[in-house]
Amino acid sequence: MTSKITIAIDGYSSTGKSTMARQMAYQLRYNYVDTGAMYRAVTLYALQNDLFHPALDVQSLVEKLPDIELHFDKSSSGKGSDMFLNGKNVEKQIRGMEVSNKVSEVAAVSEVRHKLVAEQKKMGARGGVVMDGRDIGTVVFPDAELKIFMTARDQVRVQRRLDELRHKGMEVTRQEVEANLRQRDLQDSTREDSPLTRADDARILDNSEMSAEEQLKLALGWAEEIIQNL
Ligand code: DC
């Protein structure tokens, strides 16, 4: 029997982490966990419960954390899995600009991180998982056998995010997307609790000039080399 490893993928917003992580998991027959979706779902909960005035009411959110149940389940499209918040499929809602503009504020709350990190550790406890986020290689799985830190040039990221949102039928301008990415990069990498940083032992993957197929091939090559040498 071949052993299953843990793969941690971190990096800035819109560097293509989720696409690559999902494809790697599919090829390796591993589970894929999109941790950004979990922070987004908590943000949606805060919006639905009027916890922004306009800044986040941190204390109320912390008090309500036990009422927030998150899980992934089969996608309605039949492909992959969707995020469920208290039993409701929220996959579409969590991808919109409203959530994107508030999520870094929620992700900076230590109690939120504590809850989500504990759930993520459980989901990956038996290995055979590809998890993507901002703190996977540094906090969630510091012992992951393979850590990848993804980057891409700013304008490449803006274009990708714009294409993604428009493909989903959302009306957004380049300026809005650019401002959102800038603000999230800054907030995510300067927050006190678990800021986005590259783990010392992470391999850097700059995919500015790479196709999805090329980067997948490279990353799968790294994974297979590690699995064979276990
Ligand atoms: O990957 P994403 O863009 O869907 O993530 C949404 C936000 O959640 C991102 O701006 C930062 C936060 N996040 C985090 O702090 N830690 C993670 N492991 C994943 C996401």
Side-chain angles (χ1 to χ4, degrees), residues 6-12 15-25 28 32-36 129-138 141 144 146-151 196-197 202-203 205 207 215-216 219-220 222:
T6 299
I7 302 177
I9 302 183
D10 291 299
Y12 293 101
T15 45
K17 297 186 299 292
S18 321
T19 307
M20 195 183 79
R22 191 176 297 115
Q23 290 171 340
M24 284 185 87
L28 294 166
Y32 164 58
V33 179
D34 172 1
T35 65
V129 70
V130 185
M131 201 172 275
D132 84 290
R134 305 292 188 289
D135 59 345
I136 312 303
T138 50
F141 292 117
L146 174 59
K147 298 180 186 177
I148 301 175
F149 191 86
M150 294 187 52
T151 67
L196 167 64
T197 45
R203 303 178 194 216
L205 198 164
N207 61 18
Q215 66 170 4
L216 179 63
L220 278 176
W222 288 338

Side-chain angles (χ1 to χ4, degrees), residues 9 39 50 59 62 70 76 82 84 87 99 102 116 119 147 156-157 160 177 187 191 197 202-203 212 219:
I9 302 183
Y39 288 92
D50 291 325
Q59 198 188 330
V62 170
L70 303 174
S76 40
D82 283 353
F84 284 71
V99 169
K102 301 283 186 194
L116 300 194
E119 291 180 13
K147 298 180 186 177
V156 173
R157 294 165 52 211
R160 282 183 188 152
V177 169
Q187 277 181 271
R191 68 175 174 235
T197 45
R203 303 178 194 216

Side-chain angles (χ1 to χ4, degrees), residues 10 33 38 60 75 83 93 130 228:
D10 291 299
V33 179
M38 299 170 75
S60 298
S75 157
M83 182 83 252
Q93 280 162 288
V130 185
Q228 274 162 18

Side-chain angles (χ1 to χ4, degrees), residues 10 13-14 17-18 34-37 39-40 95 103-104 107 113 120 132-136 140 184 188 191 194:
D10 291 299
S13 308
S14 296
K17 297 186 299 292
S18 321
D34 172 1
T35 65
Y39 288 92
R40 286 172 180 271
R95 306 294 165 188
V103 63
S104 291
R113 304 203 69 81
Q120 290 153 11
D132 84 290
R134 305 292 188 289
D135 59 345
I136 312 303
V140 184
R184 280 204 287 148
D188 296 342
R191 68 175 174 235
S194 327

